[in-house]
Amino acid sequence: MAESFGTDPARYDRTRPRYPDAMVRRIAAGAPGPDVLDVGCGTGIASRQFRAAGCTVLGVDVDARMAAFAREQGLAVEVGAFETWDAAGRTFDAVVAGQTWHWIDPAAGAAKAAAVLRPGGRLALFWNVFRPAPDLAADFFDAHRHALPDAPRNPWARPTLEAYGGVFDKVADGLRGAGAFGEPERWRFDWERTYGRDEWLEQMRTSGEAGLYTPEQTADLLARTGAVIDARGGSFTMPYTATVVTAVRPGGNRPQSSGCLARGSTPSSTGYGRG
């Protein structure tokens, strides 16, 4: 499933939400220097935001199709699974991963991150988690249940922050188990985005599970979900919480003004959300 996202990288890049500027700024400012490794960079959504914040970014992704798209946006990307990727002796001030670390072995990934981070470097793993209003979640749940009655999971079955809680805990435990980081922290940034009907349906096609549906199931799910949005006037506002699990590799002398922002750049606005 992790390698299914490259089927249509342009759609993925166009429809997937960006990350709050405040989150990017805090991660960038919390690194000892500007060199960032973006793990599972995909089409380069997060990479471009860190580049706009003044960082020098190298991406690594398992999917050559996604990597090719990111290179077209002017990003440096290497192809490979992070756990076995050859860093060729290179080290970084920050290792980041947006919406991808749950695809990586938590123990091997933490060990590899520690190996490529400079002393004092920061590992920052983040996810956008949607938080729909209860009535909207209930209607989306019903649409999914009727279209996919035999699906093993309905993504609207329980609050998404609750569902992601186990993921965050597992990630933090992996960092502790590596024995190479300080105590993990969890940062939270709340923001929201308004979607039109077509925008929401298009991004639904980019989920990992979307590739498991038959064309008939996909058409039914999109039609039912579209009817839910139509009943709300054709658009709705989705609250998000961007959650960061982060830890620092001990050692090094952290300068008073550190990170990408120390280079004097001003991060450009993504147009999405607030921290």
Side-chain angles (χ1 to χ4, degrees):
M1 194 184 294
E3 297 180 25
S4 69
F5 299 105
T7 304
D8 190 341
R11 172 189 285 152
Y12 185 96
D13 192 78
R14 183 172 62 250
T15 63
R16 280 294 181 112
R18 275 50 179 166
Y19 299 96
D21 283 340
M23 185 204 81
V24 174
R25 287 195 298 266
R26 186 170 180 185
I27 294 170
D35 296 329
V36 173
L37 178 68
D38 185 2
V39 177
C41 66
T43 60
I45 291 172
S47 292
R48 296 196 299 272
Q49 291 188 249
F50 280 96
R51 184 175 63 182
C55 301
T56 301
V57 184
L58 173 65
V60 59
D61 199 275
V62 72
D63 193 319
R65 298 164 298 180
M66 300 285 265
F69 185 96
R71 292 190 191 109
E72 291 173 1
Q73 315 309 308
L75 296 167
V77 184
E78 297 179 8
V79 176
F82 177 60
E83 298 93 327
T84 57
W85 170 70
D86 182 8
R90 292 166 292 182
T91 57
F92 303 86
D93 298 300
V95 173
V96 304
Q99 222 77 21
T100 58
W101 199 258
H102 53 285
W103 299 113
I104 292 171
D105 179 272
K112 186 60 171 279
V116 301
L117 273 172
R118 294 167 186 154
R122 178 172 296 279
L123 176 62
L125 316 170
F126 45 90
W127 291 262
N128 269 322
V129 182
F130 46 68
R131 297 182 296 106
D135 61 331
L136 180 61
D139 287 346
F140 280 169
F141 174 89
D142 286 341
H144 193 280
R145 178 170 57 87
H146 284 103
L148 299 162
D150 299 322
R153 187 182 79 93
N154 188 320
W156 308 101
R158 59 176 175 156
T160 48
L161 271 179
E162 177 185 314
Y164 266 88
V167 173
F168 301 149
D169 291 342
K170 185 176 181 179
V171 167
D173 287 343
L175 300 186
R176 294 186 186 100
F181 294 97
E183 178 62 19
E185 300 178 51
R186 195 177 298 184
W187 300 344
R188 172 174 174 158
F189 301 84
D190 294 327
W191 64 284
E192 60 185 30
R193 176 180 172 180
T194 298
Y195 285 93
R197 178 187 190 275
D198 292 343
E199 289 177 299
W200 182 256
L201 298 185
E202 190 174 27
Q203 69 81 32
M204 284 179 63
R205 292 176 175 270
T206 70
S207 74
E209 293 174 329
L212 305 178
Y213 308 151
T214 67
E216 294 76 18
Q217 288 173 324
T218 297
D220 191 16
L221 177 61
L222 294 177
R224 292 178 184 275
T225 303
V228 170
I229 301 169
D230 288 341
R232 284 166 169 73
S235 66
F236 67 95
T237 298
M238 177 64 77
Y240 283 89
T241 291
T243 300
V244 185
V245 179
T246 182
V248 172
R249 183 188 169 201
N253 296 316
R254 296 175 67 84
Q256 216 171 24
S257 178
S258 61
C260 308
L261 301 184
R263 302 171 68 185
S265 63
T266 301
S268 62
S269 172
T270 62
Y272 289 90
R274 55 189 184 278

